[in-house]
Amino acid sequence: MSGFRVIQGGRAADGQPGLLIEGAAEVVTMVGGLRRGPSQDDPALIPAASDPPGDDAPVVACWEGRILAVGPRAELLQVLEDGGYPIARFARLDAAGGTITPGLVDPHTHLLFAGSREGELVLRQQGAGYMEILAAGGGILSTVAATRAASVEALEEHGRRWLGEMLNHGTTTIEAKSGYGLDLATELRLLDVAHRLGAAGPVDVLPTWLGAHAVPVEFRSRPDGTEAYVRHCIEEQLPGVAAQGRARFADVFCERGVFSPDQSRRVLEAASRYGLQPRLHADEIVPSGGAELAAEIGALSADHLAAPSPEGIDALARAAGTEQPVVATLLPATTWFLMHEDFAPARTLIERGVPVALATDFNPGTSPTPSLLHVLTVACLELKLTPSEALAAVTINAAHALGIGDEIGSIEAGKAADLVVWRVPTHLQLPYWPAADLVRTVIKKGRVVVERPPS
Ligand code: NIG
Ligand code: FE
């Protein structure tokens, strides 16, 4: 974090209602809605016509937290004048020859947990499998034990720390799952902390109930433990979660040896009846019917997909041709960190017209990275996405995976002014400098929330 100044709550552009960001080498607008097929590779770029960028450089204008206009300087100033926006009411921000993109959107995180599991990395190096560690009562279950024992203050402190890391890497909106409580009281605590951290800002947090993440120890000793826990999720947890009103989505770990497609369907259909939109962990380790189920129930997003069946890919391709496509949210940093060989078939999904998003899957077991930029690099190297495809996957498509593609994810008039100014002259360099600090400035709802001293 060194070198960054995080400004809690943000600096309101020197008290002005407007903010003009000038001097960029390019603006990646991502205008044009959800990307799929060939359009996934189109960043809807506005480049500066000259190098170094001069009067023709693209400018982004924000007004009271929203994007007002974007375009080449001369055109944009005309738009402001015609619209009656006095130029004197705009604070100025110099992009200093950098790239401007929409704020990054992370549509799959397990933000809140206690403890850490570095020991599993060594176990996996020695040949232990992820599911084997879980079946032996470790993995998710060890984090559940630590999380149940953690105080609200400790969870809040942890959440603030990692949200700060995410923000410093350019992320302005995340989804955050519960799933390390597995009892009503702890699940509610996690959802409430996620909600309150988002309300405090600057990063927006959309909470997801993931009660069906694993079968907790107290159910494991029963002969029908998984079934009994599924009923507990539907009959005990879900009504409480719905009454609390914090969760926006419901998720299930649909995987062989965890929850079957039928059990996952029952949980997600019950959740839908309470107004929680379905998404799911699908085919992370082996083909488990997750992609098929996501298409069947019209989930917003099917996540992981490292091992979908051919039928599952067909089902997602069919859904992609409808009004309500299921976004394939791929988590390649997880496959990488698990040292698995088979990454999600991203090229096939794109060729079949399935919209692809990317997420960190931030969690203590399979993906302890808060950085979407790191995910971008892994996606380019292992999923063979182009840099533009990968960037669409963490902006506009990630926003659609959260059902808020009309509000964030692109730089267009009327949307929230969530922006990142990067210290590179082209977005093609975003995946190109692994582990470098590339953020110059982060703007959330028109306010400067991270700024890096000029280098
Ligand atoms: O997406 N696989 C299920 N959930 C997480 C991992 C959670 C954990 O290992 O703590 C995932 O990989
Ligand atoms: Fe996950």
Side-chain angles (χ1 to χ4, degrees):
M1 255 194 231
S2 62
F4 284 98
R5 194 150 71 93
V6 176
I7 305 158
Q8 198 64 35
R11 174 161 61 73
D14 301 330
Q16 305 278 50
L19 175 66
L20 272 192
I21 312 171
E22 306 170 292
E26 61 174 30
V27 177
V28 177
T29 70
M30 290 292 170
V31 167
L34 181 71
R35 302 296 202 268
R36 50 188 135 177
S39 78
Q40 177 110 25
D41 201 29
D42 175 14
L45 202 66
I46 308 179
S50 60
D51 180 24
D55 259 8
D56 57 345
V59 174
V60 181
C62 312
W63 188 263
E64 291 181 340
R66 300 212 161 252
I67 309 285
L68 184 59
V70 54
R73 188 183 175 78
E75 273 171 44
L76 186 117
L77 294 180
Q78 193 61 52
V79 169
L80 299 190
E81 198 184 314
D82 295 349
Y85 292 94
I87 198 76
R89 307 286 320 271
F90 288 80
R92 307 291 180 92
L93 184 76
D94 183 8
T99 301
I100 304 176
T101 70
L104 306 187
V105 179
D106 192 342
H108 181 138
T109 85
H110 304 253
L111 174 71
L112 296 174
F113 54 84
S116 60
R117 309 217 307 261
E118 59 282 356
E120 286 178 25
L121 190 155
V122 179
L123 288 178
R124 285 200 301 279
Q125 284 177 328
Q126 293 164 352
Y130 174 69
M131 297 302 277
E132 206 183 323
I133 297 171
L134 174 60
I140 294 172
L141 295 175
S142 63
T143 301
V144 170
T147 305
R148 284 178 175 178
S151 66
V152 169
E153 294 71 27
L155 291 168
E156 276 175 356
E157 175 64 33
H158 159 99
R160 263 193 299 276
R161 184 246 159 120
W162 290 105
L163 278 172
E165 291 265 355
M166 291 170 179
L167 184 67
N168 278 337
H169 288 89
T171 300
T172 49
T173 300
I174 70 161
E175 180 258 19
K177 301 175 196 299
S178 63
Y180 291 122
L182 311 186
D183 60 36
L184 178 60
T186 318
E187 289 291 305
L188 291 180
R189 192 150 74 236
L190 293 169
L191 291 167
D192 194 50
V193 170
H195 167 82
R196 281 188 289 111
L197 288 169
V203 178
D204 280 324
V205 179
L206 280 62
T208 294
W209 169 62
L210 176 58
H213 192 195
V215 178
V217 274
E218 60 275 21
F219 281 81
R220 285 188 173 237
S221 44
R222 302 193 195 179
D224 62 342
T226 304
E227 252 315 297
Y229 184 63
V230 167
R231 281 200 301 278
H232 166 84
C233 281
I234 295 171
E235 289 162 18
E236 308 294 331
Q237 284 188 33
L238 180 53
V241 165
Q244 182 198 35
R246 297 308 196 201
R248 186 185 284 227
F249 311 108
D251 191 348
V252 175
F253 187 10
C254 179
E255 188 75 33
R256 189 195 299 161
V258 191
F259 297 102
S260 69
D262 180 58
Q263 290 164 334
S264 305
R265 180 191 298 104
R266 280 156 52 210
V267 173
L268 293 177
E269 283 182 350
S272 283
R273 287 194 286 275
Y274 281 99
L276 302 182
Q277 290 178 286
R279 49 195 326 108
L280 77 163
H281 282 70
D283 309 321
E284 174 177 356
I285 316 285
V286 293
S288 305
E292 292 89 327
L293 177 63
E296 179 199 320
I297 63 174
L300 263 178
S301 143
D303 299 30
H304 282 291
L305 300 174
S309 68
E311 295 75 27
I313 296 176
D314 287 347
L316 292 176
R318 274 194 303 278
T322 67
E323 290 274 284
Q324 261 208 326
V326 179
V327 177
T329 299
L330 308 183
L331 312 170
T334 301
T335 314
W336 176 74
F337 196 76
L338 286 175
M339 298 177 263
H340 287 175
E341 280 176 6
D342 293 328
F343 284 80
R347 290 257 52 96
T348 304
L349 291 166
I350 288 179
E351 276 156 28
R352 301 288 305 273
V354 179
V356 167
L358 292 165
T360 58
D361 195 18
F362 177 72
N363 76 75
T366 66
S367 186
T369 180
S371 170
L372 274 173
L373 221 47
H374 167 66
V375 172
L376 225 58
T377 300
V378 182
C380 290
L381 299 185
E382 302 288 357
L383 303 183
K384 315 296 183 218
L385 295 190
T386 68
S388 297
E389 286 173 335
L391 193 53
V394 294
T395 52
I396 188 66
N397 281 13
H400 278 279
L402 294 177
I404 49 174
D406 292 340
E407 176 64 14
I408 58 169
S410 62
I411 304 178
E412 55 191 303
K415 281 197 168 178
D418 293 359
L419 304 158
V420 184
V421 183
W422 301 95
R423 301 193 300 158
V424 288
T426 160
H427 67 288
L428 301 175
Q429 289 188 18
L430 293 176
Y432 172 76
W433 304 104
D437 286 337
L438 299 183
V439 166
R440 181 186 301 284
T441 312
V442 182
I443 293 137
K444 180 69 185 175
K445 295 184 183 137
R447 300 161 81 94
V448 173
V449 289
V450 176
E451 62 187 5
R452 202 187 163 89
S455 44

